[in-house]
């Protein structure tokens, strides 16, 4: 379409749970707008929405995909967002840059619980959103239950939304099929036709009462925000369709209501009415900018919603243009723009410029990350980074690849900010943190495919420590070595004692009369510290005090190195007499879940050697509880997997290290047998290539 003909822009995110049909809806939207000549499907791996190899391998979206369509002189930019909770960060980052969101869900009342975190994010950010109940045929088990099942789903949606749920349509069923819908605004009935627009038909007589009740409910919800409409209802005046449409536009644009549409995306049922509603009722980019308090002026202002590293084009940043016009070759934030593109899946269309309200891809914005603001020092809010909850230790298959790993991980984290990597100070493992098993497997696939870095993985070692239960006094250590010329001589007496938990290590000396010269005392401390890096159980030793009380030296053969060795010998002898005890790290955890799952969460905590501190309603989360507990970190490695299985995938937790605690004796013996008493491993492996 000619750029001069484009009259407006709409940016719409397509969101919803895994398997709800988001990618099928995008494919249908692109088909009915004429953007694509032939629809693909997820099974065949040829959809626009699942364009990456990682998505096609798993037949699920794993990152935000952008697609542009033109309809009725309006350019739509659709962002197809992942449905799995493990990729929620992708979705949240994209949502901050759209004008409206379409929540896709199935007509199963029990599964609406999975929408709760999504509704919460949209409500908190005041992002206008509507619902498309996909696969609506599943609600029509027979002609009489089609409407009642639909009403049950609406009621379930109300339980997870803080905004009123307002039906825009009502289903028409026949036998065990969905054959059409009634537009509650115009009271016009339509018959569905696969791949073609629905035909207007007379309103079925047997549905007039249900349609009237549903329409009255719709009008009453709208009247809560429109005094004129309320007066008409009180006077029993039937408002006209134009007035109702204006109300939908005003109230959706202000994020006051959640309109509900129905259909079957794979057959294009209901897709055109949804598109018409986005055209008529969704807010414009100007309205969105006003809602974000972005001042209208000429200076360019943009924000990065997503970062891609492509095999051919290098780094691409998906940018929402909030203000001004961005030209190719312009300098933003000290970086030259090297290419402007409009995206449809992996296809790119080169642009000379991008205007306010558009979402475009910008080439090679080096040094800039997802969420960053372009062209201004203004601060724009960005989605909070979700804390990681699942980890794998990673090692390159080829030892020579270790030098490439850190730069590849840096790029990986630019594409996905919810990934974190660290080199653990105690275990020395490189650990990759994320949101779950699939999330990390996708990251590892990208390392292999994009950067030729195949990995071997295993569950991270538990960073156990050890301490002592009782003191030992006057532990003697003597190091004497003669090998021609000057020899080596060091002689020390040490007192070793436990310290209160969390006090760490303390070294003092009580040398009198210079029996150990001052210049050798630092060597004693170094020897003690080096030994404590790996105690008698094979782990770092904590909460110990060591005092140098006595010793002797040789005027010729003594040295700092000799006293260091003498101290190590004394520690080796003395620590075995101090009753070494194994310590494990304990985390303080807050587990959040719907209150109907709270009893399962409590059982989960108890089954993982946890100490329950209590639970209460989660603030600002209707129908959710937050359970506080202490949990051993050794028991948390699969916690997120089990929690999601117990909470329909929506449970989550936050944690932080709290303290070290002595491991119960029977378990300590098993740990030492498993690790070989050498501080390595945790008895679990997860090797994968």
């Amino acid at each position: 379409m000619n750029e001069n003909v484009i009259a407006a822009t709409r940016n719409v995110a397509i969101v919803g749970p895994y398997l709800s049909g988001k990618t099928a809806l995008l494919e249908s939207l692109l088909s009915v707008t004429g953007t694509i000549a032939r629809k693909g499907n997820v099974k065949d791996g040829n959809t626009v929405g699942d364009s990456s190899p990682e998505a096609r391998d798993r037949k699920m979206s794993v990152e935000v995909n952008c697609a542009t369509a033109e309809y009725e002189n309006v350019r739509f930019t659709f962002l197809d967002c992942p449905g799995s909770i493990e990729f929620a960060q992708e979705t949240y980052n994209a949502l901050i840059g759209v004008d409206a969101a379409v929540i896709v869900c199935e007509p199963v009342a029990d599964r609406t619980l999975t929408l709760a975190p999504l509704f919460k994010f949209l409500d908190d950010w005041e992002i206008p959103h509507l619902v498309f109940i996909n696969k609506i045929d599943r609600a029509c088990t027979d002609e009489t239950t089609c409407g009642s099942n639909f009403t049950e789903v609406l009621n379930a949606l109300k339980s997870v939304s803080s905004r009123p749920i307002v039906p825009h349509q009502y289903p028409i069923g026949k036998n065990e099929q969905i054959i059409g819908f009634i537009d509650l605004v115009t009271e016009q009935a339509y018959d569905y036709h696969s791949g073609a627009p629905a035909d207007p038909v007379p309103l079925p007589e047997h549905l007039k009462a249900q349609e009237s009740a549903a329409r009255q409910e719709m009008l009453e919800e709208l009247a809560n925000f429109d005094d004129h409409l309320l007066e008409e209802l009180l006077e029993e005046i039937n408002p006209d369709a134009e007035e109702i449409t204006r109300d939908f536009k005003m109230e959706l644009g202000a994020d006051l209501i959640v309109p509900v549409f129905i259909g079957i995306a794979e057959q294009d049922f209901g897709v055109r009415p949804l598109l018409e509603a986005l055209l008529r009722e969704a807010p414009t980019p100007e309205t969105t900018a006003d809602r974000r308090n972005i001042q209208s002026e000429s200076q360019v202002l943009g924000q990065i919603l997503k970062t891609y590293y492509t095999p051919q084009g290098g780094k691409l940043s998906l940018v929402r243009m909030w203000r001004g016009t961005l030209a190719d070759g312009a300098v933003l934030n000290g970086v030259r723009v090297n290419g402007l593109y409009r995206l449809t899946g992996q296809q790119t269309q080169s642009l000379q410029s991008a205007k306010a309200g558009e979402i475009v891809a910008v080439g090679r914005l080096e040094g800039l990350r997802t969420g960053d603001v372009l062209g201004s020092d203004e601060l724009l809010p960005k989605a909070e980074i979700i804390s990681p909850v699942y980890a794998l230790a990673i090692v390159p298959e080829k030892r020579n690849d270790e030098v490439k790993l850190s730069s590849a991980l840096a790029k990986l984290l630019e594409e996905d900010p919810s990934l974190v990597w660290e080199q653990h100070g105690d275990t020395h493992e490189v650990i990759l943190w994320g949101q779950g098993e699939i999330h990390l497997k996708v990251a590892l696939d990208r390392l292999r495919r994009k950067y030729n870095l195949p990995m071997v993985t295993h569950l991270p070692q538990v960073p156990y420590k050890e301490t002592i239960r009782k003191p030992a006094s006057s532990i003697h250590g003597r190091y004497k070595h003669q090998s021609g010329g000057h020899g080596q001589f060091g002689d020390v007496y040490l007192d070793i004692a436990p310290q209160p938990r969390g006090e760490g290590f303390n070294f003092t000396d009580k040398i009198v009369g210079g029996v150990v010269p001052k210049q050798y005392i630092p060597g004693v401390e170094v020897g003690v510290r080096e030994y404590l890096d790996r105690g008698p159980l094979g782990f770092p030793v904590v909460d110990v005090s060591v005092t140098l009380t006595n010793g002797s030296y040789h005027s010729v053969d003594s040295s700092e190195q000799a006293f260091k060795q003498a101290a190590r010998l004394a520690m080796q002898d003395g620590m075995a007499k101090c009753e070494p005890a194994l310590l494990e790290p304990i985390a303080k955890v807050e587990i959040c879940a719907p209150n109907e799952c709270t009893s399962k969460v409590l059982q989960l905590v108890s089954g993982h050697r946890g100490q329950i501190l209590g639970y209460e309603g989660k603030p600002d989360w209707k129908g959710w509880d937050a359970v506080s507990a202490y949990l051993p970190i050794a028991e948390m490695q699969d916690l997120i997997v089990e929690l999601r299985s117990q909470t329909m995938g929506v449970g989550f937790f936050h944690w932080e290290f709290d303290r070290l605690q002595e491991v119960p004796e029977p378990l300590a013996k098993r740990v030492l047998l498993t690790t070989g008493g050498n501080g390595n491993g945790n008895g679990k492996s997860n090797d994968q290539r």
Side-chain angles (χ1 to χ4, degrees):
M1 181 177 285
N2 191 318
E3 290 288 323
N4 296 326
V5 179
I6 296 296
T9 303
R10 298 284 189 281
N11 300 298
V12 180
I14 302 174
V15 298
Y18 173 55
L19 294 178
S20 59
K22 300 177 301 302
T23 300
L25 176 60
L26 173 63
E27 205 74 7
S28 183
L29 287 165
L30 297 178
S31 176
V32 301
T33 57
T35 306
I36 57 175
R38 183 177 180 181
K39 288 168 60 176
N41 64 71
V42 174
K43 291 180 181 178
D44 293 340
N46 58 358
T47 60
V48 172
D50 289 339
S51 55
S52 73
E54 295 79 24
R56 290 180 175 174
D57 283 353
R58 292 167 176 81
K59 295 180 170 39
M60 63 181 288
S61 299
V62 298
E63 65 183 352
V64 169
N65 276 279
C66 183
T68 306
E70 292 158 2
Y71 183 72
E72 297 291 334
N73 299 339
V74 173
R75 175 177 294 113
F76 284 91
T77 299
F78 295 107
L79 301 183
D80 181 22
C81 300
S84 169
I85 194 71
E86 297 189 23
F87 300 95
Q89 188 74 57
E90 290 273 317
T91 299
Y92 296 160
N93 291 342
L95 282 171
I96 64 172
V98 299
D99 305 309
V102 177
I103 301 174
V104 184
C105 69
E106 296 178 88
V108 182
D110 292 343
R111 289 194 55 79
T112 55
L113 187 63
T114 62
L115 300 171
L118 192 52
F119 269 102
K120 183 69 169 60
F121 185 89
L122 292 166
D123 291 342
D124 286 349
W125 280 74
E126 298 181 344
I127 299 169
H129 50 287
L130 47 83
V131 172
F132 181 75
I133 302 178
N134 192 25
K135 308 174 187 178
I136 190 64
D137 52 322
R138 297 184 182 179
C140 294
T141 52
D142 59 61
E143 195 166 323
T144 58
T145 61
C146 193
S148 60
N149 289 343
F150 173 63
T151 301
E152 184 183 3
V153 174
L154 290 179
N155 290 333
L157 288 169
K158 292 174 184 177
S159 70
V160 294
S161 172
S162 65
R163 310 289 193 264
I165 298 293
V166 184
H168 213 296
Q169 299 171 331
Y170 192 87
I172 302 175
K174 185 176 182 180
N175 298 326
E176 296 180 3
Q177 294 181 327
I178 183 84
I179 62 169
F181 69 96
I182 303 168
D183 186 328
L184 297 178
V185 175
T186 62
E187 296 192 276
Q188 175 64 59
Y190 293 89
D191 271 358
Y192 287 133
H193 294 286
S194 184
D199 284 337
V201 295
L203 185 68
E205 287 292 330
H206 70 282
L207 289 180
K208 284 188 175 180
Q210 293 96 315
E211 183 276 335
S212 179
R215 189 171 195 268
Q216 185 66 23
E217 180 184 349
M218 175 192 75
L219 293 174
E220 289 174 358
E221 291 288 5
L222 295 174
N224 287 328
F225 308 99
D226 182 351
D227 291 342
H228 180 260
L229 179 59
L230 180 60
E231 290 177 11
E232 288 182 323
L233 294 183
L234 292 173
E235 296 173 10
E236 297 185 352
I237 298 172
N238 189 19
D240 61 36
E242 287 187 6
E243 180 181 4
I244 299 171
T245 300
R246 282 197 303 271
D247 277 337
F248 266 111
K249 180 178 178 64
M250 178 189 71
E251 291 158 23
L252 173 61
D255 188 36
L256 297 173
I257 61 170
V258 182
V260 179
F261 295 79
I262 60 175
I264 306 173
E266 283 194 350
Q267 299 182 53
D268 299 340
F269 290 177
V271 173
R272 287 177 178 81
L274 174 66
L275 190 56
E276 289 287 343
L278 293 172
L279 190 72
R280 294 188 312 265
E281 300 164 17
T284 64
E286 294 77 17
T287 301
T288 306
D290 288 343
R291 191 177 72 248
R292 295 288 179 87
N293 297 315
I294 294 173
Q295 302 300 315
S296 177
E297 53 185 78
S298 60
Q299 183 185 9
V300 168
L301 180 66
Q303 189 170 21
I304 300 175
L305 308 180
K306 166 69 181 169
T307 302
Y308 305 94
Y309 274 93
T310 64
Q312 295 82 22
K315 183 177 180 179
L316 280 180
S317 302
L318 193 65
V319 174
R320 164 68 190 244
M321 292 297 302
W322 290 109
R323 190 175 64 210
T325 299
L326 176 61
D328 190 10
V331 176
L332 286 178
N333 301 49
V335 181
R336 183 182 178 86
V337 172
N338 194 344
L340 280 175
Y341 309 96
R342 192 164 287 131
L343 298 181
T344 299
Q346 292 191 329
Q347 296 180 358
T348 59
Q349 175 191 351
S350 295
L351 304 173
Q352 293 302 310
S353 63
K355 300 176 182 177
E358 293 192 85
I359 293 179
V360 294
V362 182
R364 299 181 185 177
L365 293 179
E366 302 301 335
L368 298 174
R369 295 175 173 271
T370 299
D372 284 353
V373 177
L374 305 179
S376 171
D377 57 3
E378 295 178 49
L379 293 176
L380 294 179
K382 56 185 178 181
E384 183 179 352
I385 301 298
I386 303 171
S387 300
V389 291
Y390 187 82
L392 287 174
I394 61 174
V395 181
E397 279 188 7
K398 303 172 186 174
R399 191 178 186 121
N400 292 340
D401 286 344
E402 289 180 1
V403 294
K404 300 191 298 183
L405 183 57
S406 60
S407 61
L409 286 173
K411 291 180 179 179
L412 198 66
L413 269 58
E414 278 194 70
E415 287 194 274
D416 186 350
S418 64
L419 291 168
V420 176
W421 78 277
E422 63 171 329
Q423 184 150 18
H424 199 282
D426 289 333
T427 65
H428 309 295
E429 295 175 306
V430 175
I431 299 176
L432 185 62
W433 284 90
Q435 302 303 315
E437 290 178 293
I438 297 174
H439 187 211
L440 292 192
K441 285 179 180 178
V442 167
L444 293 167
D445 279 358
R446 286 177 178 152
L447 280 176
R448 177 173 54 82
R449 280 188 167 122
K450 290 187 176 183
Y451 308 108
N452 193 26
L453 279 173
M455 293 286 142
V456 176
T457 72
H458 58 267
L459 290 176
Q461 298 169 22
V462 177
Y464 291 108
K465 300 284 198 300
E466 59 180 278
T467 191
I468 55 175
R469 296 191 182 99
K470 70 177 189 179
S473 300
S474 297
I475 305 300
H476 186 212
R478 172 177 288 187
Y479 180 72
K480 186 176 181 180
H481 184 69
Q482 192 73 38
S483 60
H486 287 305
Q488 293 287 332
F489 180 83
D491 185 48
V492 297
Y493 288 85
L494 303 178
D495 288 350
I496 307 170
Q499 293 217 103
R501 192 72 63 243
E503 288 295 311
F505 168 69
N506 185 48
F507 177 83
T508 57
D509 75 90
K510 294 182 179 179
I511 296 301
V512 178
V515 292
V516 176
K518 287 184 178 180
Q519 66 267 31
Y520 300 146
I521 293 176
V524 177
E525 182 175 354
V526 170
V528 170
R529 286 184 180 273
E530 286 185 357
Y531 176 82
L532 294 180
D533 284 343
R534 189 184 181 91
L537 302 182
F539 300 93
V541 183
V542 296
D543 302 333
V544 169
S545 69
V546 176
T547 304
L548 173 62
T549 59
N550 205 345
S552 63
Y553 73 101
H554 189 279
S555 59
V556 176
D557 291 344
S558 286
S559 66
E560 186 174 342
Q561 179 68 22
F563 273 92
K564 184 179 84 168
Q565 295 299 331
R568 288 181 63 91
L569 291 172
M571 291 298 295
Q572 185 174 340
D573 182 36
M575 285 289 290
K577 301 174 182 178
C578 294
E579 289 190 12
L582 187 65
L583 300 176
E584 64 178 339
I586 303 295
K588 187 171 184 180
V589 184
E590 182 186 73
I591 303 176
C592 304
N595 50 28
E596 63 192 69
C597 302
T598 301
S599 61
K600 295 179 181 178
V601 171
L602 296 175
Q603 291 174 8
L604 187 62
V605 171
S606 299
H608 283 255
R609 296 195 290 122
Q611 176 189 352
I612 298 167
L613 302 177
Y615 65 92
E616 58 186 3
K618 185 168 176 58
D620 299 326
W621 283 70
K622 183 172 65 175
W624 280 57
D625 283 337
V627 177
S628 298
Y630 290 127
L631 272 174
I633 285 178
E635 297 284 342
M636 291 178 58
Q637 290 173 324
D638 291 321
L639 180 65
I640 191 61
V641 178
E642 296 180 50
L643 176 63
R644 286 175 180 154
S645 72
Q646 297 288 336
T647 61
M648 295 182 64
V650 297
F652 60 93
F653 65 83
H654 306 286
W655 70 277
E656 60 182 8
F657 171 78
D658 186 75
R659 66 186 189 276
L660 291 169
Q661 180 174 290
E662 191 169 331
V663 180
E665 191 65 31
L667 180 58
K669 289 180 179 178
R670 290 202 299 271
V671 170
L672 294 174
L673 283 172
T674 303
T675 62
N678 60 6
N680 291 318
N682 56 13
K684 300 177 183 179
S685 66
N686 189 34
D687 288 342
Q688 48 185 274
R689 294 176 184 266

